[in-house]
Amino acid sequence: MASVARAWSQTVADIVAGLGVDLGAGLSESAARQRLRQDGPNRLPDQPAPSLLAQVLEQARQPLVLLLLAAAAVSFAAGEGIDAAVIAAIVVLNTAIGVTQQRRAEGALAALQALAGPVSVALRDGQWQAVPAETLVRGDVIRLEAGDRVPADCRLVSVVGFRVDEAPLTGESEPVDKLTDVLPDNELPLADRDNLAFMGTTAVAGRARGIVIATGMDTEVGRIAGLLRETTKAPTPLERQLGQLGRSLGLLALILVAGVFAAGLLRGLSLVPMFLLSVSLAVAVVPEGLPTIVIMVLALGVQRMAKRNAIIRRLPAVETLGAASVVCSDKTGTLTQNAMAVRTASAAGAVHTVQGDGYEPLGEVLTPPDQAGVYRRVLAVLAAGGVLASDAELRREGGQTLAIGDPTEAALLAFASRAGADIGELRRRWERVHEVPFTSERKLMSTICTMGGSVRSFTKGAPDLVMDRCTAWLGPTGERESFSASARAVMAANQRDFAGQGLRVLAVAYRDWQNEDWRREDIEQGLTLAGLIAMADPPRPEVPSAVAEAQRAGIRVVMITGDHRDTALAIADQVGILRGDGQTVSERVLSGPELEGLSREELIARAGELAIYARVSPEHKLRIVDALQSQGDIVAMTGDGVNDAPALKRSDIGVAMGITGTDVAKGAADMVLADDNFATIVAAVREGRTIFANIRKAVFYLLSCNAGELAAVLGAILAGLGSPLSALQILWLNLVTDGPPALGLGLEPPEPNVMLQPPRPIGARVLDARTTVAVVWQGLAIGGIALALFAWALAAGRDEVTARTMAFLSVSLTQLIQAMNARSLDQSLFVLGLGRNRTLLVAIALSALLTLAIVALPPLRAVFGTVPLSSPDWVRVVAASLLIFPLVEAVKAARRRRPA
């Protein structure tokens, strides 16, 4: 259904009537569902997924697959029809497995993108609700605030200082001030439609309400959505590393295969069998299934992260997480529960205890009895200021009271109820006519309210900033008095005491105006202080252990907060951030004003010792990231606001808050925390380290097995024994038998010491020097066992087919045991436990059954050139294959005993 025509030139009443919506109640859920079925989801079409045929052709274009097809053609031309058919069947099977895994990975990543999808606040059935943006329909009444990405084209019906960055759509470099007036020009250019907000643009200031007039492809940005389909994805660093590894192995394969081919011909072996054997060895050298396995490991690992509430938006973040050396975390809602409750208040020169937890309408404010009447009057003003300078709501659902909006503002409403105020009555009597929105730079929020002929502004915010703007206060008499130095000292002392208890402190002030003779620039000047409100936001119970785990892993935890220094110190002490390194507290804390006074070089010099940054603005985060990165740290930075976006992009791992975070912050981040919880960051680091380690294990396993096959064949040919493996047997081992265990290794649980190791250097190679050495010697061991068994069988009078069968079974079984060895280069299998990775056990069992089938089933014996073995020969094969286990365990034990 088309969008509303020329909505900018219609009145709000016309829009409401045309869309059949009640501006005060919004759409009903049933009407919204019906419109969604009619109009379709509110989203732009994704880049079309490749078709099944395209994915099959992509697999078939791989160089090794083409090489195998050439080998099949040569076999067929040479009259080896069975060999040609088997090679072709293996190619088909490998292609089917690759396509299936690729489609599964794409499906997993698509599901994660849906999890990370934006959420909008819409009015449905008379209540504001958080709904997925893609479910918005024409006629929905939505609420927009600074930091939101506009989810659909809207006609604005109310605005408060609302400004929108429309550069992505119109190219305008400056944000646009929005209004609600009718614009009569029917042919108005897009950039001049100031009473509309467009999908894909970003709110940068203020707040607004609007009616959705177009969704999905009917929006203005939908008209140019075709351009998005032309984008291509750059390879990740991990993909580039694997590509380089593949090219290096490909070159090695050409050299070795040419050598084997030449050696075979010199030994008098036939041309066609040697060609097929050389092709098979080329396949053995290059683990062509590795890219698919890596994609699967990444996708499944990212799914596991999502289940732990860490939604990865960019795959490179997975490998970067394993290298994080510093985590810079917000305090409120990340280290703490973000479930505020007012504990105490300072009013009329006295401290008052507030009873009651959460947002339930229970509890009261306990005042000293000597001047209870005075205190009640001042507390009423303090409570009213908190209510009228708040946008939150308390809603009763399912027998409990829920907060809608900012938790701090919701706590002010609960405090007002406990102080005896009627929130609904206050908001009915006082009409809000203007607002100066809160920003993280100003740390203040003000409203202008009228009641009859009275006009009063209310301001709440950081105590020191509010008190700087006060010329009077409600003193011990309950009357307005001059805010003298002594009065300020009393309130400042209360503030320090509250902050020292780990409480978050807000100041509330007001100003009365004559009629409506007020100016915006004067609203936050000449104020009268009503009092201080101190609320608790206790640490999340799981955070202390998460901080300790991060520190054991060599990761420094740094708190960055806009709160007061003393509040930050109290929380940091409770969660263990200040745990002992011998430094004094003053050496580990830096305030925003102090940071302003440091040069870049001075900040870099101190960054390594600082654990807390208090009273900072979002702009300071950029300087902090720069200082830490200049020291060589890999920085994970959390953020939720519009102005956090530059720091999130600049950091190595930007982490946005999923609950309180703005769309802009989420768009700039690499990872979104669905629960805003610091412990989730640490869990994600653990998962990131595990994913990288598992990819390394899969690479190690495949290469050591392939090296074993190469060593056995090359050694036998050079010794004049012929080949211990046929071409088809090598292909079967590499394209069928090795794949399932490699994927099982990719799903290995974290090793016990994964969070006891220092952060991995960024850019560390998947195949480092230590792993390469292990690949070489263990590959030689695998090949040596098979070669020794093959040579013994020939010397003992076994025919060549029987000897080759024994060698084939030895290589296969040794590789399956090697899959268990590959679970760790250091840890013993007895420590890791046999049953922790059930997927690997199933994969090994599957590969073993497939291998046994080649020997047990007569049709397969005829194809792969195997024969039944006698019981003594089976015992010899199994005994020889088991040798790899004690050999590797002995080397691991020796490495563990080696001094660090």
Side-chain angles (χ1 to χ4, degrees), residues 80-380:
E80 302 290 342
I82 293 179
D83 283 3
V86 172
I87 293 174
I90 289 175
V91 169
V92 170
L93 179 59
N94 183 64
T95 300
I97 292 173
V99 169
T100 300
Q101 291 181 335
Q102 182 179 351
R103 293 176 78 86
R104 283 189 62 195
E106 289 172 352
L109 292 175
L112 291 174
Q113 288 177 350
L115 281 176
V119 173
S120 298
V121 179
L123 187 62
R124 299 266 179 92
D125 289 320
Q127 293 186 334
W128 291 104
Q129 302 177 26
V131 300
E134 69 172 27
T135 65
L136 291 177
V137 297
R138 294 185 319 113
D140 260 326
V141 179
I142 64 172
R143 192 162 66 191
L144 299 168
E145 297 181 349
D148 290 347
R149 197 172 295 278
V150 179
D153 286 3
C154 314
R155 172 66 159 87
L156 299 175
V157 299
S158 70
V159 296
V160 178
F162 193 57
R163 306 183 75 207
V164 178
D165 178 6
E166 295 183 344
L169 188 62
T170 67
E172 294 286 339
S173 59
E174 293 295 326
V176 179
D177 290 299
K178 290 296 180 177
L179 46 79
T180 60
D181 300 342
V182 174
L183 302 174
D185 188 347
N186 284 337
E187 302 303 326
L188 204 62
L190 185 67
D192 293 333
R193 300 172 192 174
D194 293 340
N195 57 9
L196 303 184
F198 301 106
M199 182 182 193
T201 60
T202 302
V204 297
R207 58 187 177 86
R209 294 185 185 183
I211 303 174
V212 174
I213 57 173
T215 60
M217 290 300 291
D218 291 327
T219 62
E220 293 295 335
V221 72
R223 303 180 197 281
I224 56 174
L227 297 176
L228 299 176
R229 301 184 185 184
E230 300 174 5
T231 58
T232 58
K233 292 188 294 185
T236 69
L238 183 59
E239 290 170 335
R240 287 195 292 270
Q241 282 189 30
L242 293 174
Q244 292 170 356
L245 176 62
R247 287 188 291 274
S248 300
L249 291 175
L251 179 61
L252 176 63
L254 289 176
I255 296 172
L256 292 176
V257 168
V260 170
F261 185 70
L265 293 181
L266 291 174
R267 288 288 184 179
L269 299 179
S270 302
L271 179 64
V272 172
M274 278 309 304
F275 173 76
L276 295 179
L277 183 64
S278 298
V279 169
S280 302
L281 286 176
V283 175
V285 172
V286 182
E288 66 290 326
L290 184 58
T292 302
I293 290 172
V294 168
I295 291 173
M296 283 297 295
V297 171
L298 286 172
L300 294 174
V302 168
Q303 277 187 310
R304 289 196 301 273
M305 287 186 180
K307 291 177 181 177
R308 295 290 303 270
N309 295 313
I311 301 170
I312 301 296
R313 298 187 67 251
R314 300 181 180 93
L315 277 184
V318 175
E319 54 182 308
T320 310
L321 274 169
S325 57
V326 176
V327 175
C328 296
S329 174
D330 285 325
K331 178 182 71 66
T332 303
T334 307
L335 297 173
T336 63
Q337 298 178 25
N338 204 23
M340 309 296 291
V342 176
R343 296 300 185 200
T344 187
S346 173
V351 174
H352 314 271
T353 302
V354 183
Q355 294 182 324
D357 291 321
Y359 308 121
E360 298 298 331
L362 302 172
E364 60 179 330
V365 180
L366 303 179
T367 63
D370 54 336
Q371 298 186 69
V374 170
Y375 296 142
R376 290 294 176 189
R377 289 200 309 274
V378 177
L379 284 170

Side-chain angles (χ1 to χ4, degrees), residues 37-76:
R37 286 193 296 269
Q38 183 178 3
D39 294 354
N42 174 40
R43 62 171 179 246
L44 302 179
D46 296 324
Q47 187 172 352
S51 65
L52 178 61
L53 177 61
Q55 290 177 323
V56 170
L57 293 176
E58 180 65 27
Q59 292 283 332
R61 281 198 296 267
Q62 295 181 16
L64 289 177
V65 173
L66 295 175
L67 190 59
L68 288 175
L69 291 175
V74 171
S75 297
F76 184 77

Side-chain angles (χ1 to χ4, degrees), residues 612-634:
I612 301 172
Y613 295 86
R615 305 300 283 163
V616 299
S617 66
E619 286 78 5
H620 292 147
K621 287 188 175 183
L622 266 178
R623 292 193 61 193
I624 295 169
V625 171
D626 173 69
L628 291 169
Q629 289 177 331
S630 297
Q631 290 191 330
D633 281 311
I634 305 302

Side-chain angles (χ1 to χ4, degrees), residues 290 689-704 741-742 744-754 766 771 775 818-819 821-825 832 836-837:
L290 184 58
R689 288 187 174 192
T690 301
I691 287 173
F692 187 86
N694 287 351
I695 290 173
R696 178 173 280 173
K697 291 170 186 176
V699 172
F700 165 69
Y701 168 70
L702 289 173
L703 292 184
S704 62
L745 282 169
L747 303 179
E748 177 75 11
E751 290 189 41
N753 64 345
V754 69
V766 175
T771 309
V775 164
Q818 176 69 359
N821 290 332
R823 291 174 61 192
S824 174
L825 288 180
L832 296 173
R836 289 187 69 221
N837 189 343

